[in-house]
Amino acid sequence: MAEQHAQLTASEQDSKPRPMSSRKPIRKAVFPVAGLGTRFLPATKAIPKEMLAIVDRPLIQYAVDEAREAGIEQMIFVTGRGKTAIVEHFDIAYELENTMGERGKDMAVLDATRATPGDIITVRQQVPLGLGHAIWCARAIVGDEPFAIFLPDELMIGNKGGTGCMKQMVEAYAEVGGNLISVLEVPDDEVSSYGVIAPGEARGNLTEVRGLVEKPPRGQAPSNKIISGRYILQPEVMRVLEAQEKGAGGEIQLTDAMAKMIGQQPFHAVTFDGRRFDCGSKTGFVEATLALALEREDMGAEVRRMAERLLAN
Ligand code: UTP
């Protein structure tokens, strides 16, 4: 083994994860928002996918609110061309606020868009080379701390009276440390469309992760627990991503980098107690819109009547 190790190139050695840093709180979150959003064209030609709204809140707002609920202080947006609206959304809109103030309008609707000065940081991914590459672009700001990742187009809604997905993960992290991904159980016949975990021992909502398989062929999935868009990772993943190895679709994949951390550092899955909507797909987006509109006190009854009318025709 020692001889084999000596044969590794310098870049291969750099890409090997090192022992886990001592347990630190999760203060930083990375939001990769530099993707092209091609599945939503032409809607996303001039508007970032992450600014598409479910009822009246853009997807990015749901993700940032979930991060704040989990105690995360610093939001790092990995942006690209045409994504400035995301940063604008969390800025103060003086003209809008002045006009609303003059007209006596309630400005509480803007509360969630106010950022504490300095808590939103942007870095640029010049070319969308893949999710793993987007995360790597944030390495200087992440530094040597464990950090959270949110894929804003996966909308995670906690059960009524319960907490959000990242808060559940931060609580699990306090118990086991290391790396965590959120998972959901889906029916067996749906598993082959997703990234799936190979499970080890399970306790409560925690399952040890022994492996990660991307889109397993039908009947060959190691479990029905699919990876959903929330992660807590140790900073060593940046050294793995540094190697910039291309994976499925010719993209630098986060899943490949995470797979290399398994066995080197603790790795667990947290089964999310709540619902996930895949808002990167059109049908998932419509489903989320309907579900959340139906639950709203201010419009739920009316939306239900409308839906019933439409279905009756
Ligand atoms: P997706 O593959 O779902 O987003 O990536 P996309 O590429 O924007 O969408 P389609 O498939 O073309 O419709 C998951 C997340 O990773 C980000 C995306 O913005 C999205 O939030 N991403 C993806 C990046 O930031 N950079 C990339 O190179 C790729």
Side-chain angles (χ1 to χ4, degrees), residues 122-264:
T122 61
V123 293
R124 200 88 170 172
Q125 183 193 27
Q126 284 92 342
V127 186
L129 296 177
L131 176 58
H133 181 260
I135 302 303
W136 179 77
C137 290
R139 67 200 177 283
I141 302 170
V142 165
D144 64 355
E145 292 186 31
F147 63 104
I149 300 173
F150 290 76
L151 306 192
D153 55 359
E154 294 200 32
L155 181 57
M156 311 292 276
I157 303 289
N159 286 330
K160 237 191 178 112
T163 58
C165 184
M166 187 50 70
K167 187 149 193 231
Q168 292 176 25
M169 292 179 74
V170 166
E171 283 164 7
Y173 175 78
E175 212 182 301
V176 291
N179 302 277
L180 291 144
I181 49 178
S182 76
V183 292
L184 285 157
E185 288 176 4
V186 297
D188 289 346
D189 59 345
E190 288 178 22
V191 166
S192 52
S193 316
Y194 299 99
V196 179
I197 65 159
E201 278 173 32
R203 179 168 48 89
N205 66 345
L206 276 169
T207 307
E208 188 197 338
V209 177
R210 297 244 167 101
L212 301 170
V213 188
E214 199 53 53
K215 301 192 177 62
R218 261 173 195 278
Q220 290 178 33
S223 75
N224 64 346
K225 290 181 190 292
I226 61 158
I227 307 169
S228 55
R230 302 293 182 269
Y231 313 76
I232 289 177
L233 297 179
Q234 295 298 317
E236 287 79 12
V237 74
M238 294 298 188
R239 272 198 283 273
V240 183
L241 288 167
E242 185 91 39
Q244 312 238 339
E245 281 170 22
K246 288 186 180 156
E251 295 196 344
I252 300 166
Q253 299 285 354
L254 182 63
T255 306
D256 296 344
M258 291 192 302
K260 288 192 176 147
M261 310 274 285
I262 296 168
Q264 309 283 333

Side-chain angles (χ1 to χ4, degrees), residues 31-41 44 49-50 78-80 83 86 125 127-135 137 149-154 231 251-252 278-281:
F31 300 78
V33 292
L36 298 176
T38 53
R39 282 171 290 170
F40 269 93
L41 284 170
T44 47
K49 174 172 74 174
E50 299 77 10
V78 181
T79 69
K83 299 281 182 163
I86 295 174
Q125 183 193 27
V127 186
L129 296 177
L131 176 58
H133 181 260
I135 302 303
C137 290
I149 300 173
F150 290 76
L151 306 192
D153 55 359
E154 294 200 32
Y231 313 76
E251 295 196 344
I252 300 166
D278 176 12
C279 295
S281 84

